[in-house]
Structures are given as structure tokens and as C-alpha cells.
């Protein structure tokens, strides 16, 4: 009977795909089962129920590594075939790779140069230790003239206390990592019309900048690039038309426009609908495939005080919800897995420990409650806490949870990372409103990882621990033994 059901499923799907009418479907089914053969297009035999799907990219190729495509059966999902996507290799234009944004090492044969502080500036009379700096189009270096196409990393960091304005020539296509980092007095800068790359933490903590206009030419914006621009007065940031990548890896963006804008000031992100790599839904930035939340604007207020992600979402970029206080409830996507273990891209990109919800919400968002949809196959929720589907494991506690964490009876374990690890580093901001934690009689032993964090809550905030379980012993100083 099971085999017959699979065969009928195979016949039905194939005929639907070919636009066969219901009457013809029944005729072909009867004939096929009578004769035991099929000869209509891609219809498979009764002994082979696989229907080959389209090629699907499971790993994208980049400049230094090959990718992979697979094809699955449309009915059962089994992988039927795979092939390698060759690595792209670097394609340098003006010393910057058009694929990944990496900068080419300087060679004297080049006609352009990434400007460095020190001797290169001194030889050309470029003074950096002043309130206003102009970067010229051309410089001379070792007897040869070069076009300046970029500024090297940490270019202005040593002059952060004096720099107030910068004028950049339109020849510049690249601004290096930490280029203007901590330049808290910088108020004015023109971003060149040909600019293509803004590297990691380039404008981090430039708290006096009031307006930024990112030109459409920009293809790459690094992690932390516009981190803590707290003086920004505009309510909208328009992302570049030619934008290809936010962060080093598209599935692990970190601190992207985090803490941008005066309190509740930045409310909207926008992007051209033709962009192939990113999209904006209800002011929130996502990767084009909808799998990764890149950033939520700080001042966005969500309807009903609820932030609900589409079911395509699998990842939250680090601090992607960050400073937003416009929602107290986060409704998880059905596709999201809340795990304490990070993939390699997240390990390379992220700064903060914890599970994927903690990393996304951080310590300053307004999220107090986690909620799932009724048809979520992995998780359940109760009183704002996230549990496994059968409630046997406590998976996540919101960083802004307020009151008593009363773990449900029947719960036997706590996922590592359910309580955010950074209690001491974020003192006064994370887990500081939890007054007590009650362990049910069914609770098993607590892992050393969770024990350390929960005991830190006791020491830092005076959180009271109550145990109804023989496996969880509270000692005389209120710690879990």
C-alpha cells in the first residue's frame, strides 16, 4: 500500500508539471499500472519515484574557494546529483577586487595607489594632524606619480581628537578598515561618487556625523563600518543601488548600522527594488533570499509592539535588532534554529557570545518575550520563554526578561546559552531585570556552562534561585552547587 501511494504521488506530480488534465492523468495512471511502463516525458517508472529538481546553490563560490550545487528529488528531497562551482578568482579594478572587495598588494608597476600615513603623506605635504584635511587626486612616491584610489587602514586613528572635516577626491574607490575609527569630532565628509568599498569599522564611533549619503557606486560595506553613529539626525538610510555585500559573509553580518542615529531617530532603510543581493521589508534589511536579518532601524516602531520575521529567516546578524526598542515581542521564523553553536562565518565575524537570539537582540533592544507560531515544528513558548517543541528543554530567555523565570514543570534541561553569557560585560543592561529563577521538580543537573552564568546573575543582581529538584542544589550563598 505504501509503495502504491509513492507511485501515485510520482505520477501526479509529473503530470501536474506537464499541465496534463485530470481526465488524462487518470487514463495515463490506469494504463501505466496495467502495463508497468511509462514513456511520457520525464515521468518515471513505477520502480523509480524520484523526480529531478532544478540545480540549487548550497555553497556560493568566491574569489578563493569553490562552491557547490545540488539537485534534489522534488517528492522526497533526496540529493540526486551535485557539481562544483569553480572559484571566481580576483578581478582587480583600481587595486580593488570587483568580486570580494579585497585590496591588491601595491606594486610599482601600478598607476594607482592606496595612500598611507607617514612618509607617503609627508613627502606630498599632506598634513593629517589638523581639523580639516584634503586628500588630493595624485601624489608622487619614489619618483613616480600615482592616482590616489584609497586610504589605508587606521588612516586617521592617530588624529581622532582633532579631525573635524575631510574632503576626498572622486578618484577614491576604497576606504580602509578603521580609517576614521573613533574620530568623534568628525562632522563632515563627502563620500566620493566612485567609492566602491567601505571596510570594517571605517566610521565606527564617529558620533558627531549628522548625515551620511552613501553613493550608489558602493558595492561593499564591512562589519562595524557605521557602528555607533549616535549623532546621525536623518530618519532614513538609502542603501546603494550597486550594493553586493554587507559584512564579510552575507549570512553573518555584524554590527551593521548598529546604534545609528539619535535615540529613536533612524526609522527606515530603503534600497532599489532591482538589487539582486538585498531587500527591505517593512524598513528591515534582509539578504535577497530572505534567510538573514541584516539590520533593524533603531527608531522603527512595530505595529502592536510585535516584531515578526518572515518564515524564510534562518539567521540573525549580530546585533541586528540591537538598539531597537519599538517591539517587546519577537515572533520567530519557522525556519530559524536557536543554537549555541556558531558556523565558521559567525565565528570569524562576531564579537559576542551566546545563542543566535542573544547575539541578534543584544543588551539594548526592547525584546522581553519570545514567541513562536502554532505550526513551528521545533519550538514552543510559555510566558515569553522559548522551549523545545515538547517543553522538555528551556532554549532561550530574552535578555530583557522582566520578573521571575518560572521554568515549566516537565522541563528537564537547559540549553547552553539559554541565559546570555555576557552578564558581567553588560552589567546593568542584560538579564538585570530577572528577579528570580524557579527550577521545577523535573529539572536534571545543570551544565557547568549554565551554572556559571546563573551564579553570575546571583552575584551581579542578587537574583534569587529556588529549586524544587533534587538535582539542583542551592547552597548557603544562593549559588547552584
Amino acid at each position: 500500500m505504501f509503495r502504491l501511494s509513492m507511485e501515485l504521488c510520482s505520477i501526479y506530480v509529473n503530470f501536474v508539471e506537464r499541465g496534463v488534465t485530470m481526465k488524462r492523468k487518470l487514463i495515463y495512471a490506469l494504463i501505466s499500472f496495467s502495463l508497468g511502463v511509462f514513456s511520457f516525458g520525464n515521468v518515471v517508472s513505477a520502480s523509480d519515484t524520484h523526480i529531478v529538481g532544478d540545480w540549487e546553490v548550497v555553497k556560493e563560490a568566491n574569489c578563493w574557494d569553490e562552491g557547490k550545487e545540488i539537485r534534489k528529488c522534488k517528492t522526497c528531497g533526496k540529493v540526486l546529483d551535485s557539481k562544483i562551482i569553480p572559484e571566481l578568482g580576483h578581478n582587480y579594478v583600481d587595486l580593488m577586487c570587483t568580486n570580494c572587495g579585497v585590496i591588491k598588494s601595491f606594486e610599482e608597476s601600478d598607476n594607482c595607489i592606496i595612500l598611507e600615513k607617514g612618509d607617503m603623506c609627508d613627502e606630498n605635504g599632506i598634513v593629517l594632524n589638523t581639523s580639516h584635511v584634503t586628500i588630493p587626486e595624485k601624489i608622487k612616491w619614489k619618483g613616480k606619480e600615482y592616482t590616489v584610489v584609497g586610504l589605508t587602514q587606521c588612516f586617521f586613528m592617530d588624529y581622532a581628537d582633532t579631525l573635524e572635516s575631510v574632503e576626498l577626491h572622486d578618484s577614491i574607490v576604497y576606504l580602509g578598515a578603521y580609517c576614521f575609527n573613533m574620530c568623534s569630532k568628525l562632522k563632515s565628509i563627502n563620500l566620493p561618487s566612485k567609492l566602491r568599498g567601505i571596510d570594517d569599522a571605517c566610521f565606527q564611533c564617529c558620533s558627531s556625523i549628522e548625515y551620511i549619503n552613501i553613493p550608489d557606486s558602493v558595492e561593499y560595506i564591512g562589519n562595524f563600518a557605521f557602528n555607533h553613529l549616535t549623532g546621525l539626525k536623518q530618519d532614513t538610510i538609502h542603501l546603494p543601488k550597486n550594493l553586493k555585500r554587507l559584512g564579510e559573509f552575507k549570512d553573518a553580518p555584524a554590527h551593521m548600522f548598529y546604534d545609528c542615529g539619535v535615540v529613536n531617530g533612524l526609522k527606515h532603510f530603503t534600497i532599489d527594488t532591482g538589487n539582486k543581493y538585498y531587500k527591505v521589508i517593512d524598513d528591515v534589511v534582509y539578504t535577497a533570499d530572505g534567510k538573514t536579518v541584516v539590520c533593524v532601524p533603531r527608531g522603527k516602531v512595530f505595529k502592536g509592539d510585535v516584531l515578526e520575521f518572515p518564515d524564510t529567516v534562518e539567521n540573525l546578524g549580530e546585533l541586528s535588532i540591537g538598539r531597537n526598542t519599538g517591539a517587546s515581542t519577537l515572533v520567530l521564523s519557522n525556519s530559524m534554529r536557536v543554537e549555541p553553536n556558531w558556523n565558521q562565518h559567525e565565528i570569524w565575524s562576531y564579537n559576542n557570545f551566546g545563542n543566535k537570539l542573544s547575539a541578534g537582540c543584544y543588551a539594548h533592544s526592547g525584546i522581553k518575550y519570545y514567541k513562536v507560531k502554532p505550526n513551528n515544528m521545533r519550538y514552543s513558548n510559555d510566558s515569553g520563554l522559548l522551549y523545545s517543541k515538547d517543553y522538555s528543554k528551556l532554549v532561550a530567555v530574552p535578555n530583557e526578561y522582566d520578573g521571575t523565570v518560572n521554568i515549566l514543570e516537565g522541563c528537564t534541561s537547559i540549553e547552553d546559552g539559554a541565559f546570555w553569557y555576557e552578564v558581567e560585560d553588560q552589567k546593568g543592561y542584560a538579564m538585570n531585570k530577572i528577579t528570580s529563577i524557579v527550577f521545577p521538580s523535573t529539572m536534571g543537573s545543570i551544565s557547568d556552562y549554565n551554572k556559571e552564568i546563573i551564579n553570575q546573575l546571583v552575584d551581579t543582581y542578587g537574583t534569587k534561585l529556588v529549586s524544587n529538584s533534587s538535582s539542583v542544589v542551592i547552597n548557603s550563598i544562593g549559588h547552584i552547587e
Side-chain angles (χ1 to χ4, degrees), residues 402-429:
D402 194 346
T404 297
V405 174
N406 194 359
I407 304 173
L408 286 176
E409 193 69 30
C411 182
T412 59
S413 65
I414 300 174
E415 179 87 85
D416 283 349
F419 293 89
W420 196 28
Y421 183 83
E422 299 195 21
V423 173
E424 293 182 344
D425 289 345
Q426 296 295 329
K427 186 176 180 179
Y429 298 105

PDB file of all heavy atoms in Angstrom, residues 402-429:
ATOM      1  N   ASP A 402      11.727  40.357  32.274  1.00  0.00           N
ATOM      2  CA  ASP A 402      11.447  41.111  33.494  1.00  0.00           C
ATOM      3  C   ASP A 402      10.638  40.246  34.462  1.00  0.00           C
ATOM      4  O   ASP A 402       9.539  39.800  34.126  1.00  0.00           O
ATOM      5  CB  ASP A 402      10.665  42.379  33.129  1.00  0.00           C
ATOM      6  CG  ASP A 402      10.632  43.394  34.265  1.00  0.00           C
ATOM      7  OD1 ASP A 402      10.978  43.026  35.404  1.00  0.00           O
ATOM      8  OD2 ASP A 402      10.258  44.551  34.007  1.00  0.00           O
ATOM      9  N   GLY A 403      11.198  39.992  35.661  1.00  0.00           N
ATOM     10  CA  GLY A 403      10.463  39.250  36.676  1.00  0.00           C
ATOM     11  C   GLY A 403      11.043  37.875  36.935  1.00  0.00           C
ATOM     12  O   GLY A 403      12.243  37.636  36.779  1.00  0.00           O
ATOM     13  N   THR A 404      10.161  36.921  37.288  1.00  0.00           N
ATOM     14  CA  THR A 404      10.576  35.568  37.650  1.00  0.00           C
ATOM     15  C   THR A 404      10.602  34.648  36.429  1.00  0.00           C
ATOM     16  O   THR A 404       9.626  34.578  35.681  1.00  0.00           O
ATOM     17  CB  THR A 404       9.616  34.972  38.694  1.00  0.00           C
ATOM     18  OG1 THR A 404       9.678  35.746  39.890  1.00  0.00           O
ATOM     19  CG2 THR A 404       9.990  33.534  39.018  1.00  0.00           C
ATOM     20  N   VAL A 405      11.718  33.964  36.235  1.00  0.00           N
ATOM     21  CA  VAL A 405      11.808  32.919  35.211  1.00  0.00           C
ATOM     22  C   VAL A 405      11.320  31.634  35.866  1.00  0.00           C
ATOM     23  O   VAL A 405      12.067  30.962  36.586  1.00  0.00           O
ATOM     24  CB  VAL A 405      13.253  32.753  34.695  1.00  0.00           C
ATOM     25  CG1 VAL A 405      13.343  31.567  33.744  1.00  0.00           C
ATOM     26  CG2 VAL A 405      13.722  34.027  34.003  1.00  0.00           C
ATOM     27  N   ASN A 406      10.042  31.326  35.655  1.00  0.00           N
ATOM     28  CA  ASN A 406       9.421  30.164  36.278  1.00  0.00           C
ATOM     29  C   ASN A 406       9.411  29.029  35.250  1.00  0.00           C
ATOM     30  O   ASN A 406       8.526  28.932  34.415  1.00  0.00           O
ATOM     31  CB  ASN A 406       8.001  30.511  36.716  1.00  0.00           C
ATOM     32  CG  ASN A 406       7.409  29.480  37.655  1.00  0.00           C
ATOM     33  OD1 ASN A 406       8.060  28.477  37.974  1.00  0.00           O
ATOM     34  ND2 ASN A 406       6.194  29.706  38.094  1.00  0.00           N
ATOM     35  N   ILE A 407      10.430  28.173  35.316  1.00  0.00           N
ATOM     36  CA  ILE A 407      10.599  27.112  34.320  1.00  0.00           C
ATOM     37  C   ILE A 407       9.498  26.073  34.497  1.00  0.00           C
ATOM     38  O   ILE A 407       9.220  25.616  35.612  1.00  0.00           O
ATOM     39  CB  ILE A 407      11.990  26.473  34.443  1.00  0.00           C
ATOM     40  CG1 ILE A 407      13.076  27.554  34.306  1.00  0.00           C
ATOM     41  CG2 ILE A 407      12.183  25.401  33.380  1.00  0.00           C
ATOM     42  CD1 ILE A 407      14.481  27.059  34.581  1.00  0.00           C
ATOM     43  N   LEU A 408       8.866  25.698  33.386  1.00  0.00           N
ATOM     44  CA  LEU A 408       7.699  24.820  33.432  1.00  0.00           C
ATOM     45  C   LEU A 408       8.007  23.452  34.033  1.00  0.00           C
ATOM     46  O   LEU A 408       9.083  22.881  33.801  1.00  0.00           O
ATOM     47  CB  LEU A 408       7.142  24.623  32.022  1.00  0.00           C
ATOM     48  CG  LEU A 408       6.388  25.797  31.392  1.00  0.00           C
ATOM     49  CD1 LEU A 408       6.006  25.440  29.972  1.00  0.00           C
ATOM     50  CD2 LEU A 408       5.151  26.136  32.210  1.00  0.00           C
ATOM     51  N   GLU A 409       7.056  22.924  34.772  1.00  0.00           N
ATOM     52  CA  GLU A 409       7.122  21.543  35.247  1.00  0.00           C
ATOM     53  C   GLU A 409       7.125  20.628  34.021  1.00  0.00           C
ATOM     54  O   GLU A 409       6.354  20.826  33.076  1.00  0.00           O
ATOM     55  CB  GLU A 409       5.919  21.232  36.134  1.00  0.00           C
ATOM     56  CG  GLU A 409       6.032  19.941  36.922  1.00  0.00           C
ATOM     57  CD  GLU A 409       7.098  20.008  38.018  1.00  0.00           C
ATOM     58  OE1 GLU A 409       7.350  21.115  38.562  1.00  0.00           O
ATOM     59  OE2 GLU A 409       7.691  18.954  38.305  1.00  0.00           O
ATOM     60  N   GLY A 410       7.998  19.643  34.014  1.00  0.00           N
ATOM     61  CA  GLY A 410       8.165  18.768  32.869  1.00  0.00           C
ATOM     62  C   GLY A 410       9.426  19.083  32.083  1.00  0.00           C
ATOM     63  O   GLY A 410       9.921  18.244  31.330  1.00  0.00           O
ATOM     64  N   CYS A 411       9.946  20.270  32.294  1.00  0.00           N
ATOM     65  CA  CYS A 411      11.209  20.647  31.652  1.00  0.00           C
ATOM     66  C   CYS A 411      12.357  19.958  32.389  1.00  0.00           C
ATOM     67  O   CYS A 411      12.438  20.012  33.622  1.00  0.00           O
ATOM     68  CB  CYS A 411      11.386  22.165  31.687  1.00  0.00           C
ATOM     69  SG  CYS A 411      12.878  22.762  30.866  1.00  0.00           S
ATOM     70  N   THR A 412      13.253  19.302  31.643  1.00  0.00           N
ATOM     71  CA  THR A 412      14.311  18.511  32.279  1.00  0.00           C
ATOM     72  C   THR A 412      15.720  19.076  32.080  1.00  0.00           C
ATOM     73  O   THR A 412      16.646  18.635  32.758  1.00  0.00           O
ATOM     74  CB  THR A 412      14.289  17.076  31.722  1.00  0.00           C
ATOM     75  OG1 THR A 412      14.482  17.119  30.301  1.00  0.00           O
ATOM     76  CG2 THR A 412      12.961  16.398  32.029  1.00  0.00           C
ATOM     77  N   SER A 413      15.872  20.029  31.167  1.00  0.00           N
ATOM     78  CA  SER A 413      17.223  20.545  30.901  1.00  0.00           C
ATOM     79  C   SER A 413      17.182  21.985  30.388  1.00  0.00           C
ATOM     80  O   SER A 413      16.128  22.485  29.979  1.00  0.00           O
ATOM     81  CB  SER A 413      17.956  19.647  29.891  1.00  0.00           C
ATOM     82  OG  SER A 413      17.297  19.687  28.631  1.00  0.00           O
ATOM     83  N   ILE A 414      18.358  22.608  30.410  1.00  0.00           N
ATOM     84  CA  ILE A 414      18.512  23.981  29.918  1.00  0.00           C
ATOM     85  C   ILE A 414      19.585  23.978  28.838  1.00  0.00           C
ATOM     86  O   ILE A 414      20.700  23.486  29.067  1.00  0.00           O
ATOM     87  CB  ILE A 414      18.905  24.948  31.048  1.00  0.00           C
ATOM     88  CG1 ILE A 414      17.835  24.946  32.144  1.00  0.00           C
ATOM     89  CG2 ILE A 414      19.116  26.359  30.517  1.00  0.00           C
ATOM     90  CD1 ILE A 414      18.207  25.773  33.372  1.00  0.00           C
ATOM     91  N   GLU A 415      19.234  24.505  27.672  1.00  0.00           N
ATOM     92  CA  GLU A 415      20.197  24.602  26.570  1.00  0.00           C
ATOM     93  C   GLU A 415      21.333  25.536  26.961  1.00  0.00           C
ATOM     94  O   GLU A 415      21.109  26.591  27.558  1.00  0.00           O
ATOM     95  CB  GLU A 415      19.497  25.158  25.328  1.00  0.00           C
ATOM     96  CG  GLU A 415      20.374  25.328  24.117  1.00  0.00           C
ATOM     97  CD  GLU A 415      20.471  24.075  23.286  1.00  0.00           C
ATOM     98  OE1 GLU A 415      19.608  23.841  22.439  1.00  0.00           O
ATOM     99  OE2 GLU A 415      21.448  23.322  23.515  1.00  0.00           O
ATOM    100  N   ASP A 416      22.569  25.132  26.673  1.00  0.00           N
ATOM    101  CA  ASP A 416      23.686  26.047  26.889  1.00  0.00           C
ATOM    102  C   ASP A 416      23.445  27.334  26.102  1.00  0.00           C
ATOM    103  O   ASP A 416      23.135  27.289  24.909  1.00  0.00           O
ATOM    104  CB  ASP A 416      25.006  25.410  26.437  1.00  0.00           C
ATOM    105  CG  ASP A 416      25.533  24.394  27.436  1.00  0.00           C
ATOM    106  OD1 ASP A 416      25.003  24.336  28.558  1.00  0.00           O
ATOM    107  OD2 ASP A 416      26.477  23.654  27.093  1.00  0.00           O
ATOM    108  N   GLY A 417      23.579  28.469  26.785  1.00  0.00           N
ATOM    109  CA  GLY A 417      23.345  29.749  26.127  1.00  0.00           C
ATOM    110  C   GLY A 417      21.936  30.269  26.285  1.00  0.00           C
ATOM    111  O   GLY A 417      21.614  31.350  25.785  1.00  0.00           O
ATOM    112  N   ALA A 418      21.058  29.507  26.965  1.00  0.00           N
ATOM    113  CA  ALA A 418      19.689  29.983  27.177  1.00  0.00           C
ATOM    114  C   ALA A 418      19.687  31.296  27.954  1.00  0.00           C
ATOM    115  O   ALA A 418      18.890  32.197  27.698  1.00  0.00           O
ATOM    116  CB  ALA A 418      18.875  28.926  27.925  1.00  0.00           C
ATOM    117  N   PHE A 419      20.582  31.394  28.939  1.00  0.00           N
ATOM    118  CA  PHE A 419      20.840  32.656  29.629  1.00  0.00           C
ATOM    119  C   PHE A 419      22.099  33.268  29.010  1.00  0.00           C
ATOM    120  O   PHE A 419      23.112  32.578  28.872  1.00  0.00           O
ATOM    121  CB  PHE A 419      21.056  32.427  31.126  1.00  0.00           C
ATOM    122  CG  PHE A 419      19.824  31.962  31.858  1.00  0.00           C
ATOM    123  CD1 PHE A 419      19.537  30.603  31.966  1.00  0.00           C
ATOM    124  CD2 PHE A 419      18.951  32.871  32.429  1.00  0.00           C
ATOM    125  CE1 PHE A 419      18.415  30.158  32.634  1.00  0.00           C
ATOM    126  CE2 PHE A 419      17.816  32.433  33.104  1.00  0.00           C
ATOM    127  CZ  PHE A 419      17.543  31.078  33.204  1.00  0.00           C
ATOM    128  N   TRP A 420      22.041  34.537  28.666  1.00  0.00           N
ATOM    129  CA  TRP A 420      23.142  35.149  27.923  1.00  0.00           C
ATOM    130  C   TRP A 420      24.433  35.151  28.722  1.00  0.00           C
ATOM    131  O   TRP A 420      24.466  35.503  29.893  1.00  0.00           O
ATOM    132  CB  TRP A 420      22.779  36.569  27.516  1.00  0.00           C
ATOM    133  CG  TRP A 420      23.666  37.126  26.441  1.00  0.00           C
ATOM    134  CD1 TRP A 420      24.329  36.434  25.479  1.00  0.00           C
ATOM    135  CD2 TRP A 420      23.969  38.495  26.219  1.00  0.00           C
ATOM    136  NE1 TRP A 420      25.028  37.272  24.662  1.00  0.00           N
ATOM    137  CE2 TRP A 420      24.818  38.558  25.099  1.00  0.00           C
ATOM    138  CE3 TRP A 420      23.602  39.684  26.844  1.00  0.00           C
ATOM    139  CZ2 TRP A 420      25.314  39.757  24.591  1.00  0.00           C
ATOM    140  CZ3 TRP A 420      24.075  40.873  26.335  1.00  0.00           C
ATOM    141  CH2 TRP A 420      24.922  40.903  25.226  1.00  0.00           C
ATOM    142  N   TYR A 421      25.509  34.803  28.042  1.00  0.00           N
ATOM    143  CA  TYR A 421      26.803  34.620  28.672  1.00  0.00           C
ATOM    144  C   TYR A 421      27.395  35.927  29.201  1.00  0.00           C
ATOM    145  O   TYR A 421      28.098  35.938  30.209  1.00  0.00           O
ATOM    146  CB  TYR A 421      27.770  33.989  27.664  1.00  0.00           C
ATOM    147  CG  TYR A 421      29.149  33.665  28.217  1.00  0.00           C
ATOM    148  CD1 TYR A 421      29.365  32.484  28.916  1.00  0.00           C
ATOM    149  CD2 TYR A 421      30.206  34.553  28.050  1.00  0.00           C
ATOM    150  CE1 TYR A 421      30.610  32.180  29.430  1.00  0.00           C
ATOM    151  CE2 TYR A 421      31.463  34.258  28.559  1.00  0.00           C
ATOM    152  CZ  TYR A 421      31.668  33.071  29.249  1.00  0.00           C
ATOM    153  OH  TYR A 421      32.897  32.780  29.760  1.00  0.00           O
ATOM    154  N   GLU A 422      27.106  37.048  28.546  1.00  0.00           N
ATOM    155  CA  GLU A 422      27.820  38.289  28.848  1.00  0.00           C
ATOM    156  C   GLU A 422      27.174  39.091  29.975  1.00  0.00           C
ATOM    157  O   GLU A 422      26.902  40.297  29.843  1.00  0.00           O
ATOM    158  CB  GLU A 422      27.957  39.124  27.585  1.00  0.00           C
ATOM    159  CG  GLU A 422      28.753  38.397  26.514  1.00  0.00           C
ATOM    160  CD  GLU A 422      29.215  39.306  25.392  1.00  0.00           C
ATOM    161  OE1 GLU A 422      29.284  40.513  25.606  1.00  0.00           O
ATOM    162  OE2 GLU A 422      29.507  38.790  24.310  1.00  0.00           O
ATOM    163  N   VAL A 423      26.942  38.451  31.094  1.00  0.00           N
ATOM    164  CA  VAL A 423      26.314  39.103  32.242  1.00  0.00           C
ATOM    165  C   VAL A 423      27.220  40.202  32.806  1.00  0.00           C
ATOM    166  O   VAL A 423      26.783  41.340  33.019  1.00  0.00           O
ATOM    167  CB  VAL A 423      25.985  38.072  33.347  1.00  0.00           C
ATOM    168  CG1 VAL A 423      25.481  38.777  34.598  1.00  0.00           C
ATOM    169  CG2 VAL A 423      24.947  37.086  32.835  1.00  0.00           C
ATOM    170  N   GLU A 424      28.482  39.881  33.017  1.00  0.00           N
ATOM    171  CA  GLU A 424      29.390  40.845  33.628  1.00  0.00           C
ATOM    172  C   GLU A 424      29.767  41.965  32.659  1.00  0.00           C
ATOM    173  O   GLU A 424      29.836  43.141  33.048  1.00  0.00           O
ATOM    174  CB  GLU A 424      30.654  40.136  34.135  1.00  0.00           C
ATOM    175  CG  GLU A 424      30.377  39.197  35.309  1.00  0.00           C
ATOM    176  CD  GLU A 424      31.647  38.532  35.823  1.00  0.00           C
ATOM    177  OE1 GLU A 424      32.665  38.561  35.105  1.00  0.00           O
ATOM    178  OE2 GLU A 424      31.600  37.976  36.928  1.00  0.00           O
ATOM    179  N   ASP A 425      30.000  41.621  31.371  1.00  0.00           N
ATOM    180  CA  ASP A 425      30.377  42.640  30.388  1.00  0.00           C
ATOM    181  C   ASP A 425      29.253  43.628  30.132  1.00  0.00           C
ATOM    182  O   ASP A 425      29.504  44.791  29.783  1.00  0.00           O
ATOM    183  CB  ASP A 425      30.781  41.980  29.068  1.00  0.00           C
ATOM    184  CG  ASP A 425      32.115  41.264  29.168  1.00  0.00           C
ATOM    185  OD1 ASP A 425      32.844  41.516  30.144  1.00  0.00           O
ATOM    186  OD2 ASP A 425      32.426  40.450  28.274  1.00  0.00           O
ATOM    187  N   GLN A 426      28.010  43.189  30.265  1.00  0.00           N
ATOM    188  CA  GLN A 426      26.863  44.060  30.030  1.00  0.00           C
ATOM    189  C   GLN A 426      26.108  44.325  31.341  1.00  0.00           C
ATOM    190  O   GLN A 426      24.885  44.366  31.368  1.00  0.00           O
ATOM    191  CB  GLN A 426      25.936  43.419  28.991  1.00  0.00           C
ATOM    192  CG  GLN A 426      26.556  43.267  27.618  1.00  0.00           C
ATOM    193  CD  GLN A 426      26.864  44.608  26.984  1.00  0.00           C
ATOM    194  OE1 GLN A 426      26.171  45.606  27.222  1.00  0.00           O
ATOM    195  NE2 GLN A 426      27.904  44.653  26.165  1.00  0.00           N
ATOM    196  N   LYS A 427      26.868  44.542  32.389  1.00  0.00           N
ATOM    197  CA  LYS A 427      26.269  44.781  33.708  1.00  0.00           C
ATOM    198  C   LYS A 427      25.332  45.984  33.679  1.00  0.00           C
ATOM    199  O   LYS A 427      25.683  47.051  33.184  1.00  0.00           O
ATOM    200  CB  LYS A 427      27.372  45.018  34.744  1.00  0.00           C
ATOM    201  CG  LYS A 427      26.862  45.145  36.177  1.00  0.00           C
ATOM    202  CD  LYS A 427      28.028  45.278  37.152  1.00  0.00           C
ATOM    203  CE  LYS A 427      27.513  45.397  38.580  1.00  0.00           C
ATOM    204  NZ  LYS A 427      28.629  45.496  39.555  1.00  0.00           N
ATOM    205  N   GLY A 428      24.138  45.767  34.161  1.00  0.00           N
ATOM    206  CA  GLY A 428      23.150  46.831  34.176  1.00  0.00           C
ATOM    207  C   GLY A 428      22.258  46.851  32.951  1.00  0.00           C
ATOM    208  O   GLY A 428      21.291  47.618  32.900  1.00  0.00           O
ATOM    209  N   TYR A 429      22.577  46.012  31.953  1.00  0.00           N
ATOM    210  CA  TYR A 429      21.813  46.011  30.709  1.00  0.00           C
ATOM    211  C   TYR A 429      21.221  44.652  30.353  1.00  0.00           C
ATOM    212  O   TYR A 429      20.135  44.582  29.800  1.00  0.00           O
ATOM    213  CB  TYR A 429      22.695  46.474  29.549  1.00  0.00           C
ATOM    214  CG  TYR A 429      23.213  47.883  29.694  1.00  0.00           C
ATOM    215  CD1 TYR A 429      24.542  48.119  30.034  1.00  0.00           C
ATOM    216  CD2 TYR A 429      22.373  48.974  29.518  1.00  0.00           C
ATOM    217  CE1 TYR A 429      25.023  49.414  30.179  1.00  0.00           C
ATOM    218  CE2 TYR A 429      22.839  50.274  29.652  1.00  0.00           C
ATOM    219  CZ  TYR A 429      24.169  50.484  29.977  1.00  0.00           C
ATOM    220  OH  TYR A 429      24.639  51.755  30.122  1.00  0.00           O
TER     221      TYR A 429
END
